[in-house]
Each structure stands twice: as C-alpha cells, then as structure tokens.
C-alpha cells in the first residue's frame, strides 16, 4: 500500500482563507479588525524567520499586526511591563511572545503574565486546564494543527480510534493526547521511559510522532493502513546534496512508512504550515470571545 499524503500546506491555505473571510466579515459587520501582537526578544535567526512569517500572514488575512522587537539583554521587568501594556490595550486581541527567550528571562513567569483571553499560543495554565476539562479555551497551535490534519485524513470523525502519541512535552505531546481524548480516541502516551515503544506504536490506528528524533519511527512500527501525523522537524546532514548541505526530516522514516500507512504527513509540508494558520485562527477566536461575539466557522 502507498499511503495518501496529508497535505498540510493546502489545509493551512484553506484555514487562512477561512480566517481572511471571517476577518472581512468582522470588519464589515462589527467594525472590528483583530490585532495580533508579536514580541521577539533577541536575534535568534530561526525566531526572526518565524516572526517575519507571522507578521506577513497576519496582515495578509486582513488583521492588524503589532510587532515589538526587543534587544537580547532585555530585563525581565521590562518584558513583563510590555506584556501588561499589551494586556490592557483594547486593540490587541492576541499576544504571542516568541520562544525561546534569553536565559535571563523566566519563561514561565512571562507566560503567566499574559491575559489568558489573549493567549493565542494556548500556553497559559488556564488554557491548558481548559483542555484537561474538555472545555473551550485557546488551543495551542501545533497540537490543534495535528488534530485538524488527522480529521482531514479520516473524514472528520476520530471516535473510537486507538491513538498513540509518541512524546509527552508540554508544547506538543501532552496537549495532542488530551485533544485526541476529547475527540473520543482511546489514547496511549509513550515517552522515553515507555517499555517497547515499537509495539505500542504498532497498535495505533492514529500515530502522532513528536519526539525530535530523526526518522526514529520505522515502517515496521506502523500498523498497516494507519494514519501517521509526523510533528518532528529535524535537520540532518545531506552529503548527497553537496558538502555541508543539510535537509529536514521528521520523526518518522517517511519512505518506509509510506509503504505501510494509509495516510501520512510529509516533512516539510505537513504539520509545520498548520502552526501559523492555527495562530491566526486563534486570534479571531480571541477577538470574538472577548467581545462576546459568535465565533465564526473558519
Ligand atoms: P521535546 O520537548 O524534546 O519532547 C520530546 C518528547 O519525546 C519527550 O516527551 C521525550 O520523552 C520523548 N522522547 C524522546 N526520545 C524518545 C524515545 N527514544 N522514545 C520515546 N519517546 C522519546 O520536543 P517537542 O517540543 O515536543 O518537539 C518534538 C518535535 O516536534 C521536534 O522535532 C520539534 O522540532 C517538532 N516541533 C514541530 C512543530 C511544528 O510546528 N511542526 C512545533 C513544535 C515542535 P521524556 O518526556 O521521557 O523525556
């Protein structure tokens, strides 16, 4: 069997179009233009690329982008003061502080300072708690993207599936597992201390790999016909492309897995593009909920 590809780029483009449509209606009917504030501290090259993309896509969807670039030696108190100012600004609906933050900053304290109603990254304990309770909050973007892609591949309903989530990080594995439970899957979480990870994976109708280990999941670990969502983004040497060249691979050995799975996300072009699209959607959700407006379908 050759698995069908779950096209994250195309799904993300559709979600962005839905966001742009929702924003156009909010502007026309409510005079509301949602605003997303992005805060970047320091000059980490990867973070700069992410922030530039977030700003561009926010504007392309018709929303207001508010950008704050602070020097790498910014003091904790100054960053917190900016977060409080953005919390109080009625024109700001979403606040995203780009991670990782420099060593002198206490990341947990910054996340705690963000108004949960504007926490479009879904990292505040109040939003994390809402997922545990199965209530609607702001859902973290990459986990949300994983669930949307799984539903895309499986006709919209995940009820009753045996799902295995490989990885239990706060950013990805844990929220994905809870979201899948809320979608009525029977969920197993596996991690570095799990016994026989390979056998656990082989039970999965739906396998989400988020371990950060290049191509760890082999084709033989996959149940025939399973749906595979590969969250991993790993850069490995690619001498075949020339000296010093690299390429991106996921946590799943794609070529092998594609022969066994029913559907699979590629890397790149799978979960990655969904993350920013979900951030934009969360900004619209936050803008509507804060004003007690109905949240549009996107
Ligand atoms: P992380 O914080 O390093 O967590 C990795 C998880 O994998 C941990 O729970 C760890 O278990 C588990 N693990 C590590 N080695 C394992 C092994 N040999 N067997 C079983 N479990 C193992 O990473 P993360 O932030 O969740 O990210 C995971 C991957 O997703 C990375 O490649 C990252 O780049 C990628 N990512 C992609 C996006 C996107 O937009 N597509 C967003 C975020 C992350 P323990 O808890 O026991 O240590």
């Amino acid at each position: 069997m050759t698995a069908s590809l779950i096209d994250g780029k195309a799904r993300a483009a559709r979600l962005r179009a839905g966001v742009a449509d929702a924003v156009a209606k909010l502007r026309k009917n409510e005079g509301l233009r949602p605003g997303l504030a992005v805060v970047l501290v320091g000059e980490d090259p990867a973070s700069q690329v992410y922030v530039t993309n977030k700003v561009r896509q926010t504007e392309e969807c018709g929303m207001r982008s508010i950008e704050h670039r602070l020097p790498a030696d910014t003091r904790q108190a100054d960053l917190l003061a900016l977060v409080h100012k953005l919390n109080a600004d009625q024109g700001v609906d979403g606040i995203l502080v780009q991670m990782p933050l420099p060593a002198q900053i206490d990341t947990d304290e910054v996340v705690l300072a963000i108004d949960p109603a504007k926490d479009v990254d879904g990292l505040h304990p109040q939003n994390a708690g809402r997922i545990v309770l199965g209530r609607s909050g702001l859902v973290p973007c990459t986990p949300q993207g994983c669930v949307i892609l799984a539903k895309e591949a499986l006709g919209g309903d995940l009820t009753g599936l045996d799902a295995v989530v490989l990885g239990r990080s706060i950013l990805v594995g844990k929220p994905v597992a809870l979201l899948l439970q809320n979608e009525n899957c029977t969920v197993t979480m596996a991690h570095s201390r799990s016994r026989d990870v390979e056998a656990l994976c082989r039970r999965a109708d739906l396998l989400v790999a988020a371990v950060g280990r290049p191509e760890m999941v082999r084709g033989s670990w996959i149940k025939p016909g399973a749906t595979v969502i590969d969250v991993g983004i790993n850069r490995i040497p690619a001498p075949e492309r020339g000296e010093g060249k690299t390429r991106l691979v996921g946590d799943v050995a794609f070529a092998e897995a594609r022969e066994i799975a029913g559907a699979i996300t590629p890397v790149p072009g799978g979960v990655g593009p969904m993350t920013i699209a979900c951030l934009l959607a969360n900004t619209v959700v936050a803008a509507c909920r804060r004003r007690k407006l109905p949240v549009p379908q996107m």
Side-chain angles (χ1 to χ4, degrees):
M1 171 189 265
T2 300
S4 58
L5 280 186
I6 309 171
D7 187 344
K9 259 193 191 163
R11 185 64 188 87
R14 249 169 51 222
L15 181 52
R16 284 197 305 275
V19 170
D21 191 44
V23 170
K25 288 188 178 120
L26 286 170
R27 289 177 74 169
K28 182 163 171 266
N29 301 335
E30 310 289 340
L32 166 62
R33 187 179 182 202
L36 172 62
V38 180
V39 181
L40 175 62
V41 186
E43 269 135 40
D44 176 62
S47 294
Q48 292 204 358
V49 173
Y50 291 140
V51 164
T52 303
N53 286 336
K54 284 168 188 171
V55 166
R56 180 176 48 79
Q57 294 187 27
T58 303
E59 287 167 354
E60 281 172 1
C61 285
M63 293 192 280
R64 204 161 68 91
S65 173
I66 303 109
E67 209 181 330
H68 289 271
R69 292 184 184 248
L70 306 180
D73 61 357
T74 297
R75 292 178 321 138
Q76 169 96 358
D78 294 329
L79 179 56
L80 288 175
L82 174 59
V83 169
H84 292 308
K85 199 172 126 214
L86 296 171
N87 283 343
D89 185 337
Q90 285 312 306
V92 170
D93 295 291
I95 301 170
L96 180 136
V97 180
Q98 184 65 45
M99 313 287 174
L101 289 165
Q104 78 276 13
I105 306 273
D106 179 342
T107 301
D108 285 350
E109 210 185 316
V110 174
V111 171
L112 270 175
I114 297 172
D115 178 351
K118 297 187 178 188
D119 168 42
V120 283
D121 238 356
L123 297 179
H124 192 285
Q126 228 183 78
N127 284 314
R130 289 204 179 111
I131 299 182
V132 176
L133 297 173
R135 306 231 174 99
S136 59
L138 288 166
V139 176
C141 302
T142 301
Q144 189 183 153
C146 292
V147 175
I148 293 174
L149 291 182
K151 285 175 129 179
E152 174 92 352
L154 288 157
D157 186 9
L158 308 181
T159 301
L161 293 179
D162 279 327
V164 173
V165 180
L166 202 48
R168 58 173 167 182
S169 73
I170 289 172
L171 285 182
V172 188
K174 267 186 195 149
V176 168
L178 289 163
L179 290 171
L180 291 177
Q181 211 166 68
N182 293 345
E183 294 289 339
N184 301 315
C185 293
T186 306
V187 182
T188 303
M189 284 178 80
H191 46 78
S192 69
R193 308 295 178 90
S194 296
R195 272 179 295 167
D196 205 349
V197 169
E198 183 177 337
L200 291 173
C201 288
R202 218 175 284 122
R203 290 190 348 211
D205 304 312
L206 171 59
L207 176 64
V208 180
V211 278
R213 306 243 178 251
E215 303 183 318
M216 184 180 109
V217 177
R218 311 307 310 187
S220 58
W221 296 25
I222 290 167
K223 180 174 174 175
T227 299
V228 179
I229 306 292
D230 188 354
V231 187
I233 302 179
N234 309 289
R235 193 164 281 285
I236 62 165
E240 72 281 4
R241 292 185 179 178
E243 207 187 311
K245 296 281 183 203
T246 59
R247 67 190 173 98
L248 287 182
V249 296
D251 290 341
V252 178
F254 180 80
E256 290 174 16
R258 202 178 174 188
E259 296 309 311
I260 313 286
I264 185 167
T265 55
V267 176
V271 175
M274 292 301 292
T275 300
I276 298 184
C278 290
L279 174 74
L280 304 173
N282 274 353
T283 305
V284 172
V285 171
C288 292
R289 289 221 183 107
R290 289 179 58 236
R291 294 171 180 81
K292 309 236 178 312
L293 294 170
V295 174
Q297 276 291 334
M298 287 175 276

